[in-house]
Amino acid sequence: MKRTLYHKLVFIYILFGIAGFVLISTLGSRLVEDNLVTAASTSLYNEASKIASRQASLYYSETRTYSDLYDNLSSLASYQDSQIWLISPDGEILLNTAQSPTSRETVFLDQFDPVALGSQYYSTGNFFDYFNTKMLSVMVPVTSNLRIKGYVAIHISLQDIYDQREELIVYIDLLFFLIYGLSLFILLFFSLGVYHPLQKIISGVKEYAAGNLNYNIPVKTNDELGYLASTLNYMSDELNKTGEYQKKFVANVSHDFRSPLTSIKGYVEAILDGTIPLELQEKYLNIVLFETERLNKLTQSLLTLNDIDRKGHMLDITVFDINAVIKDTAATFEGICTSKRISISLVFLARSLYVSADMGKIQQVLYNLIDNAIKFSDNDSTITVETTEKHGKVLVSVKDTGCGIPKESITKIWERFYKLDASRGKDRKGTGLGLSIVKEIINAHHQNINVISTPGVGTEFIFTLDRASEPPKNTTSENAAKRG
């Protein structure tokens, strides 16, 4: 069975409890014991030092009797629950508070050697095999005139320390289990605040993977998970819109390609099988050529949009004269304007007006706008292209006196493949992509484009560019050479 994050957390929680209890029972017990031994031995050593420097020294100087020394040490040993000895340098126990003062039995410690106890001021064990149980012992020499007269030794049973250790461990265990129990609230918080919202997010992702982009993840918290859920919901909405757009895009492309291809196929077949007589073939071949040009224009527009989408905002920004670019672009329409008796009026406040932009892309914007104006203008009309400057921006206006755009279509003209009613235009070669390309290019420059239109009066497109200072003369000449 596959482990989930929640199961892993519960497993870690239980493992933490077991490991904590084992550590307290082993390492914790050892640390407590060591601290108790250290504290007890320090206290006993200090006490033994006082006895050696005062009472034992008085005994060896024969200013205090054995009986008085025994009584004093016996009272202290009883209070401490310990044994206090006075040992001769050769290992004879001269005084033992655990025995009667009248008992003068001579007891020697086997192989008594204070050096064997090591450098520590205390030792644990049987103390030269005297005791049957483990004892904690400290021993301090009694000196006089730089000579060791004997030793004061104090012994307590290690069992007393063990009892204290077990008592403390019980309290530590109780405290640990109390904290461990309270930590259940952390697990509960994780379950309610993290795990369940995460499960909802996972369910939502599964729905998205299955294609249900309309699913909304029901997580409304104000934390990272809530932000993640809202981000995923936004992503699904955008993907859903993209999917709908792609379907519409494919449908529009299919439709725009199908119509001219059907015409081309039909006319070519009719010419080949002789349905169209020889004297009319030139006429229908011109129609085929017309439809071919329409397909070529549609393909070029699609490639342009794809290039803009793929490269994003990668522009070749240069400084150039926008008035000169407008003149060059308008000149390319001389043939069609002559045939339709349409004139293009250029209105410039100055001879030169420099902007900072991608010259090639702006040329394409101007071409599409002027081409669009010619397409929807009547014969014997005028198209006005004007440049002005305002607040550091250059405003470029392309205005016609054509049929205009209905109010309900103003916001839709930027959509790809959107076309106005064909009866409004005189030229049916439009692809519905020209204004989309214009919008994408202007947005890539972080500029604005607006449209003002009145049905039956005309339409005006106005876009902005960044004003630039006049470039050096060599740059100007280079740009002129490029245009030439």
Side-chain angles (χ1 to χ4, degrees):
M1 178 180 176
K2 186 178 180 180
R3 288 184 179 179
T4 65
L5 183 63
Y6 184 73
H7 293 156
K8 290 180 181 179
L9 184 65
V10 171
F11 174 75
I12 292 173
Y13 179 78
I14 295 173
L15 186 64
F16 170 76
I18 296 173
F21 180 75
V22 171
L23 284 174
I24 290 174
S25 301
T26 54
L27 181 61
S29 178
R30 180 61 182 272
L31 292 174
V32 170
E33 179 183 329
D34 290 344
N35 277 276
L36 289 174
V37 169
T38 301
S41 61
T42 301
S43 177
L44 293 177
Y45 182 82
N46 292 334
E47 195 63 45
S49 298
K50 292 178 183 178
I51 295 172
S53 62
R54 297 176 186 176
Q55 300 186 52
S57 295
L58 292 175
Y59 172 74
Y60 280 106
S61 63
E62 298 181 353
T63 57
R64 175 165 292 184
T65 64
Y66 177 86
S67 178
D68 290 339
L69 178 62
Y70 179 86
D71 290 341
N72 289 335
L73 296 183
S74 180
S75 298
L76 180 59
S78 176
Y79 174 75
Q80 293 180 336
D81 194 18
S82 64
Q83 295 184 31
I84 302 177
W85 293 357
L86 184 61
I87 308 172
S88 67
D90 58 359
E92 181 186 356
I93 301 176
L94 304 176
L95 185 150
N96 185 350
T97 59
Q99 295 178 352
S100 172
T102 58
S103 175
R104 302 296 292 178
E105 179 183 356
T106 301
V107 178
F108 281 89
L109 296 173
D110 294 336
Q111 300 178 349
F112 177 72
D113 182 9
V115 179
L117 297 177
S119 59
Q120 288 187 323
Y121 57 86
Y122 72 91
S123 64
T124 58
N126 298 329
F127 198 74
F128 301 104
D129 296 328
Y130 180 85
F131 297 104
N132 295 323
T133 59
K134 287 187 176 183
M135 305 292 286
L136 172 64
S137 304
V138 297
M139 190 168 65
V140 177
V142 181
T143 59
S144 178
N145 297 325
L146 301 178
R147 294 180 62 187
I148 295 177
K149 296 292 186 178
Y151 298 92
V152 174
I154 303 179
H155 312 280
I156 61 172
S157 174
L158 277 176
Q159 186 61 44
D160 295 338
I161 293 179
Y162 295 155
D163 292 340
Q164 293 180 49
R165 177 197 66 190
E166 296 304 321
E167 185 177 352
L168 287 174
I169 289 297
V170 169
Y171 286 119
I172 294 174
D173 283 339
L174 289 175
L175 181 61
F176 170 76
F177 284 118
L178 177 62
I179 295 174
Y180 187 67
L182 291 175
S183 65
L184 279 172
F185 288 102
I186 298 177
L187 188 62
L188 181 63
F189 170 77
F190 174 82
S191 177
L192 297 178
V194 178
Y195 181 70
H196 288 299
L198 191 59
Q199 286 294 100
K200 294 179 181 178
I201 292 174
I202 292 173
S203 298
V205 172
K206 289 181 179 178
E207 290 290 333
Y208 299 153
N212 182 15
L213 297 177
N214 293 318
Y215 184 83
N216 192 277
I217 301 174
V219 177
K220 306 298 181 183
T221 56
N222 294 321
D223 53 15
E224 287 81 356
L225 289 174
Y227 176 76
L228 177 61
S230 61
T231 302
L232 289 173
N233 287 334
Y234 175 78
M235 179 197 71
S236 66
D237 291 340
E238 291 301 311
L239 287 175
N240 196 24
K241 292 178 182 177
T242 302
E244 293 298 324
Y245 168 77
Q246 288 178 342
K247 292 178 183 178
K248 184 178 179 181
F249 182 85
V250 171
N252 287 329
V253 170
S254 300
H255 177 269
D256 277 41
F257 271 92
R258 186 185 299 115
S259 296
L261 286 174
T262 301
S263 297
I264 293 172
K265 180 176 181 292
Y267 290 133
V268 170
E269 287 178 346
I271 292 173
L272 290 175
D273 63 17
T275 303
I276 298 177
L278 184 62
E279 62 274 12
L280 296 178
Q281 287 184 5
E282 182 179 357
K283 171 185 175 182
Y284 289 101
L285 285 175
N286 285 328
I287 295 176
V288 169
L289 178 61
F290 175 88
E291 296 292 353
T292 304
E293 291 176 353
R294 180 181 168 192
L295 282 175
N296 182 63
K297 186 175 182 180
L298 177 60
T299 302
Q300 290 298 325
S301 297
L302 288 172
L303 290 174
T304 300
L305 282 174
N306 180 68
D307 185 61
I308 294 174
D309 291 338
R310 179 170 54 84
K311 294 184 179 180
H313 299 324
M314 294 176 60
L315 301 173
D316 182 17
I317 302 297
T318 58
V319 175
F320 60 91
D321 182 6
I322 186 64
N323 291 346
V325 172
I326 292 173
K327 290 177 183 177
D328 292 344
T329 306
T332 61
F333 292 95
E334 182 177 353
I336 188 173
C337 287
T338 301
S339 64
K340 297 181 67 173
R341 300 187 302 281
I342 295 175
S343 61
I344 299 179
S345 174
L346 306 181
V347 181
F348 304 144
L349 293 180
R351 185 172 182 178
S352 299
L353 184 58
Y354 290 91
V355 297
S356 177
D358 186 321
M359 187 171 69
K361 294 289 191 297
I362 298 304
Q363 276 182 318
Q364 191 168 13
V365 168
L366 290 167
Y367 184 91
N368 287 354
L369 291 179
I370 296 174
D371 180 63
N372 195 70
I374 293 173
K375 186 190 305 179
F376 290 96
S377 292
D378 296 323
N379 294 345
D380 300 310
S381 62
T382 300
I383 296 172
T384 304
V385 182
E386 182 179 1
T387 59
T388 56
E389 182 185 356
K390 187 175 182 180
H391 304 303
K393 294 284 186 179
V394 171
L395 281 69
V396 181
S397 166
V398 178
K399 184 177 182 180
D400 65 62
T401 56
C403 58
I405 303 172
K407 184 177 180 180
E408 64 273 10
S409 299
I410 289 291
T411 58
K412 298 179 181 180
I413 59 174
W414 309 113
E415 297 178 6
R416 298 180 182 184
F417 293 105
Y418 180 79
K419 299 179 184 179
L420 293 175
D421 185 357
S423 63
R424 297 178 179 273
K426 310 299 181 181
D427 188 348
R428 295 172 180 265
K429 290 194 294 182
T431 63
L433 295 174
L435 292 180
S436 297
I437 294 173
V438 168
K439 184 73 171 178
E440 295 286 350
I441 293 175
I442 297 301
N443 286 344
H445 281 79
H446 304 290
Q447 301 296 323
N448 298 314
I449 182 167
N450 295 309
V451 57
I452 303 170
S453 183
T454 302
V457 176
T459 302
E460 180 180 14
F461 287 91
I462 306 171
F463 65 91
T464 63
L465 293 173
D466 287 329
R467 177 78 163 89
S469 301
E470 185 175 346
K473 291 183 179 180
N474 59 341
T475 305
T476 306
S477 60
E478 288 178 5
N479 288 339
K482 288 181 181 179
R483 290 194 300 271

